[in-house]
Structure formats: structure tokens, C-alpha cells
């Protein structure tokens, strides 16, 4: 398996995708569809990251320590991804609860109030 500085190709693919995703978010920030561009770039990066984590890896030569360990739990990646996704869901749910239920609601000021401010400004100029 090809490695560069002791790191595999998958890490470099993730790094390039992360840079492209950040660039897409930055460049699309001033456009009309900045929210859709950011969500698409982030979603694409997350999907490709999950696919690379779940994809089977190539066989590598086992050292003496790995040869002594007989069993390998092939479901550990799936369990780790499930745990991480559940933790992120709990964090997102907590943030949503704070944003929509605990934070005070901000209402627009009545139109009459705006008209009163405009009339005060006009009186100050006179």
C-alpha cells in the first residue's frame, strides 16, 4: 500500500476534499444560494468521509504482535460510526432545543413605533 510520510492515500483524499469543501463554502458565501452551497459541500464531504471509513481496506503484512491476535471484530467501524452519529445527533438536538425553546423570542417592532422614530428624526432636523 502506498504511503506518503506514513499516511495513506485515503487521508490525502479526505484532506483534498476538505479543502475543496471549505473553498466552496468560502466562494459561495456571497452568492444568492450560499446556504445551499454550504450544505451541499458539507453533506458531500460527510458522505464521502463515511464511505471511505466503511470501505474495506487492503490486506497488509501482519507483524508478530498482529499475528498473535487471532480475532478481529469487523463490526467495530460500524459501531464507531453509529456512536459518533448518535453523539452528534444529541449535540444537534441540544442546540436546537436551546435555539428554539430556551432562547427568548424576538418580535419585530410595530410599524407605528418606526413611524414615531421617523417623526422624531424629522423634528430634530427642524
Amino acid at each position: 500500500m502506498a504511503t506518503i510520510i506514513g499516511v495513506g492515500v485515503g487521508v490525502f483524499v479526505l484532506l483534498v476534499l476538505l479543502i475543496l469543501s471549505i473553498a466552496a463554502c468560502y466562494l459561495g458565501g456571497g452568492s444568492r444560494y450560499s446556504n445551499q452551497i454550504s450544505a451541499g459541500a458539507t453533506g458531500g464531504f460527510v458522505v464521502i468521509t463515511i464511505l471511505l471509513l466503511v470501505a474495506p481496506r487492503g490486506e497488509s503484512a501482519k507483524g508478530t504482535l498482529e499475528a498473535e491476535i487471532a480475532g478481529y471484530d469487523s463490526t467495530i467501524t460500524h459501531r464507531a460510526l453509529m456512536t459518533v452519529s448518535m453523539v452528534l445527533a444529541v449535540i444537534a438536538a441540544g442546540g436546537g432545543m436551546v435555539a428554539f425553546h430556551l432562547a427568548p423570542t424576538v418580535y419585530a417592532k410595530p410599524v407605528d413605533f418606526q413611524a414615531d422614530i421617523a417623526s422624531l428624526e424629522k423634528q430634530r432636523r427642524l
Side-chain angles (χ1 to χ4, degrees), residues 25-99:
C25 291
Y26 179 73
L27 293 174
S31 73
R32 231 172 117 179
Y33 304 107
S34 62
N35 292 338
Q36 290 86 355
I37 291 171
S38 297
T42 304
F45 177 73
V46 168
V47 166
I48 292 174
T49 301
I50 290 172
L51 288 176
L52 285 175
L53 284 174
V54 175
R57 290 157 183 83
E59 292 295 323
S60 61
K62 292 183 179 181
T64 56
L65 181 62
E66 288 90 7
E68 290 178 13
I69 301 172
Y72 174 73
D73 188 6
S74 62
T75 62
I76 190 70
T77 304
H78 304 292
R79 289 185 198 163
L81 286 174
M82 183 62 75
T83 303
V84 168
S85 64
M86 291 173 77
V87 167
L88 290 175
V90 166
I91 291 171
M97 189 170 73
V98 167

Side-chain angles (χ1 to χ4, degrees), residues 11-31:
V11 175
F12 285 107
V13 169
L14 286 177
L15 182 65
V16 167
L17 286 173
L18 179 64
I19 291 170
L20 289 175
S21 152
I22 291 172
C25 291
Y26 179 73
L27 293 174
S31 73

